Every structure is written in structure tokens, then in C-alpha cells.
Amino acid sequence: MLETIEKHIRTIEQTTLSTPEAAEEFRIQYLGKKGILTALFGEFKTVPNEEKKAVGQALNALKTAAEAALASVQTASPTKKKGPSEDYSRPGYSILPGAHHPISIVRNEIVSIFERMGFAVAQGPEMEDDWHNFSALNFPPEHPARDMQDTFFLAKDPDWALRTHTSSVQVRTMETQKPPIRIIAPGRVFRNEAISSRSHCVFHQVEGLYIDQNVSFADLKQTLLEFARAFFGEKTEIRLRPSYFPFTEPSAEMDIWWGLENEVDHRMTKGTGWLEIMGCGMVDPAVLSSCGIDPSTYSGYAFGMGIERIAMQRFQIPDIRAFYENDLRFLRNFTGAL
Ligand code: DAH
């Protein structure tokens, strides 16, 4: 047996495997399931004990020689076909640039304008209890003002709802921070409304709140004018119209002068030339008390605006549903927008 093995080793040493086919044939012949090595290892059992050591070593040498012969062909002539990746003259694949969502673009811009004025970003949960969404904001139980905002209540516990506005973050901030407070709170809000081109049941708002000693309505007006000019352009004019919100007194709505030059302007401003941007007002003393802030020492203003409305104006998007459909043909328009 020893002789047979040595003969095989010599044969292997003299063999040159020049083609992949020859190599495969060699592999089957020596290393295959029914190959020479399997047979020899099978025979090994019958080798007398005193010869086992020598035969065993020879067998291992044969196996190593066979594997080495095979390995040398595989590294010398890779069987892999030349693929397109090796054609260096081909043009490269272009990398598609990503885009921010238009809601993010507008939100980031609003936030950065207020950050420059010293406002810090605050957050709150999207699932809120009645206290933070309504009661602390001066909506008494059963008060018709609650109907202004159609609410998604949680089926298990009607004390909980999806927040209908980011004003709830005002309450959470005042409960946990001491004045002076100057925050901006962007976030998602929910209302049980029929979906149409102008309204959706999920949308975004940015809330602002400033609480300190001697904060006046003039401070509110100047801050909003500053914002309007930074966002809509240096020459933007604003006006404040009296309005009503349970949590502010006095309350107002801020419009910007949009112009009335063409048909689109007429349609967008309902023929007035003014475009409504946000609600605002002086924080109602009752709200300050509810949140543990003494209204005899502190006063403040608050404002809230819808991001979708502003994004629709900025990008001339006629249908609010476009924001949530994830249609790439729409989203690609914002590549490089900011
Ligand atoms: N929360 C109001 C809404 O969703 C918007 C608003 C109006 C917020 C006046 C304010 C404010 O902070 O002062 O319609």
C-alpha cells in the first residue's frame, strides 16, 4: 500500500493542470467522494498496526499534494469571467441625491429663524391626556371651544387622545421649567377631519412660547414681524386681526401681505391680498396659574402655525395630500431645495 501511495504522489508531482476542466477531472479523481483518497483511507483499516504510522503519514502527504496541485491552478487561472465591473472605460453609476421632505425643509427653516432669536426647541408626546391638550389650556369640560378641534380619543380611555395641537407642549414646558422660558415646539398633530385637498387628519405645527417679566403684546408683534421678514422676504408686511383662542387673551391672527396681482393671488387670499399665517396672543393668566407660574409676576405670549399651509404657499402645492403619498415624482422636486 505504501508503494501505491508513493506512486500517486510521484504522478501528482508530474501532472500539470492547465485547464479548469483538467483541474476538475483531477479533483474528482483524487479528492471526490469515490476518488482515490477515499478508497485509500478506506483500506487504511486493514493495514497492520506496525505499519499504520508510516502509511498514515504517506496518506496525509498524498492528500496535501493533491490539494496543493488543485489550489495552484485555482489561483493561477481564475475561472471567473470578466464582468462589467472590470471594464474601466464604462461610465460610473450616478448616485441619486436624496431630498429633504418639503415639510422638513419648511420646519427647519422656521426653527432656525426662531433659534437665531434665542428660542430653544422643545418636544412633547403625540399621545396626550386631557389636561395637557385641553384643561390646562383653559378649555373647560364640555365647553364648545373643544369642538373647534375634532379629536381622536383613545378607545380604551377617553381621558387620552392624539394631541390636536402643539400647544400641549406649552403646558409641559411651563410645568417643568422656570421663567424666562423661550421655546419653539415643532411637531405632528392629529384631527378627526375629512381628508380633502385642503385638510388632512395628520399634519404639523410649530408652537412658540415666551414667558418672562414684563412681556408685552408689542414684543409679540415685533417677534412675528421679524419672523415674517426672515421667512417671506425683507419687505413683508404683517397685520394682526382680533381672534379667539381659549388659552390667549387677547388673541389674534397674523396675516402677511401677499399681493393681489393675478388670479392665483386672488384665489390664495380669497380676494383680500392677505394670507393667514398663524394664531397668537398673550398667554391667558389662567393658563399660567394652571402650569404653576404666578401671573402677577410673569406674562408671556404664544403663537402657533401650520407647517403644511406654509409649505403649500412656498412651493405652490395645490393639494395637501401630496405630502403623505410618498410619490417619488413629487419628492424629487425638492432635491437640493435646502
Ligand atoms: N393651537 C392653535 C390651533 O391649533 C394655534 C394657536 C393659536 C397656538 C394661538 C397658539 C396661539 O399658541 O397663541 O389652532
Side-chain angles (χ1 to χ4, degrees):
M1 188 167 169
L2 209 50
E3 275 167 36
T4 325
I5 297 169
E6 278 162 3
K7 209 177 83 202
H8 280 307
I9 292 177
R10 279 196 300 279
T11 319
I12 290 174
E13 279 166 0
Q14 283 155 22
T15 312
T16 23
L17 300 170
S18 45
T19 62
E21 291 76 24
E24 181 60 7
E25 204 177 302
F26 176 88
R27 190 190 64 76
I28 294 167
Q29 189 188 357
Y30 281 93
L31 298 164
K33 262 195 201 147
K34 296 180 183 161
I36 291 169
L37 270 149
T38 316
L40 289 171
F41 274 110
E43 257 178 67
F44 186 67
K45 285 183 246 127
T46 64
V47 172
N49 273 351
E50 60 275 19
E51 287 175 33
K52 271 213 157 87
K53 193 175 170 202
V55 176
Q57 280 174 350
L59 263 179
N60 282 331
L62 174 60
K63 190 176 178 211
T64 313
E67 283 169 350
L70 206 59
S72 69
V73 228
Q74 278 164 352
T75 48
S77 61
T79 53
K80 215 178 98 214
K81 288 211 179 73
K82 257 199 168 194
S85 62
E86 284 161 50
D87 177 356
Y88 298 118
S89 66
R90 290 178 89 239
Y93 293 107
S94 56
I95 298 167
L96 286 177
H100 279 291
H101 192 279
I103 296 297
S104 306
I105 295 170
V106 170
R107 180 205 55 206
N108 291 349
E109 194 174 328
I110 295 171
V111 167
S112 83
I113 291 169
F114 282 105
E115 275 179 340
R116 290 204 292 275
M117 291 194 255
F119 287 75
V121 172
Q123 279 185 324
E126 291 179 349
M127 217 165 79
E128 271 295 10
D129 52 16
D130 181 274
W131 172 255
H132 292 96
N133 197 77
F134 291 121
S135 297
L137 287 165
N138 211 22
F139 288 81
E142 314 300 332
H143 191 277
R146 292 190 183 216
D147 295 344
M148 282 163 71
Q149 306 187 348
D150 298 308
T151 311
F152 284 118
F153 291 98
L154 299 197
K156 275 198 177 156
D157 183 354
D159 189 49
W160 285 82
L162 296 177
R163 68 178 177 195
T164 58
H165 51 184
T166 44
S167 302
S168 56
V169 185
Q170 284 187 33
V171 180
R172 288 192 174 270
T173 310
M174 286 191 276
E175 281 175 344
T176 53
Q177 292 177 26
K178 286 197 168 20
I181 294 170
R182 205 187 278 139
I183 55 121
I184 191 97
R188 191 156 56 158
V189 300
F190 307 83
R191 288 195 200 169
N192 192 356
E193 273 180 40
I195 296 171
S196 71
S197 64
R198 300 210 57 80
S199 66
H200 209 285
C201 56
V202 181
F203 56 101
H204 298 77
Q205 291 185 331
V206 178
E207 190 79 14
L209 175 72
Y210 177 37
I211 310 284
D212 205 345
Q213 289 179 11
N214 304 317
V215 178
S216 71
F217 201 91
D219 297 322
L220 169 64
K221 205 169 153 186
Q222 188 60 32
T223 307
L224 296 186
L225 178 64
E226 191 68 29
F227 162 73
R229 295 195 164 162
F231 190 89
F232 295 98
E234 270 174 41
K235 299 214 166 66
T236 304
E237 293 296 336
I238 65 168
R239 74 171 184 188
L240 292 163
R241 277 179 294 111
S243 184
Y244 170 77
F245 299 102
F247 36 90
T248 42
E249 181 57 37
S251 305
E253 246 147 328
M254 187 194 90
D255 301 341
I256 59 161
W257 176 247
W258 184 258
L260 252 191
E261 277 159 30
N262 55 41
E263 200 198 316
V264 176
D265 295 345
H266 268 269
R267 201 165 359 108
M268 282 183 61
T269 65
K270 296 184 188 127
T272 65
W274 291 96
L275 204 58
E276 187 189 314
I277 300 295
M278 67 174 101
C280 59
M282 300 306 291
V283 179
D284 195 301
V287 174
L288 294 175
S289 300
S290 293
C291 300
I293 289 173
D294 180 2
S296 62
T297 313
Y298 293 104
S299 58
Y301 62 72
F303 54 87
M305 64 191 112
I307 303 184
E308 276 77 357
R309 271 182 60 95
I310 296 177
M312 285 166 82
Q313 287 147 14
R314 162 152 298 191
F315 298 118
Q316 300 284 309
I317 298 164
D319 191 323
I320 195 169
R321 291 169 289 203
F323 292 123
Y324 315 109
E325 282 164 356
N326 265 339
D327 186 333
L328 283 177
R329 289 167 300 181
F330 170 73
L331 296 174
R332 282 206 184 109
N333 289 308
F334 304 96
T335 314
L338 214 108

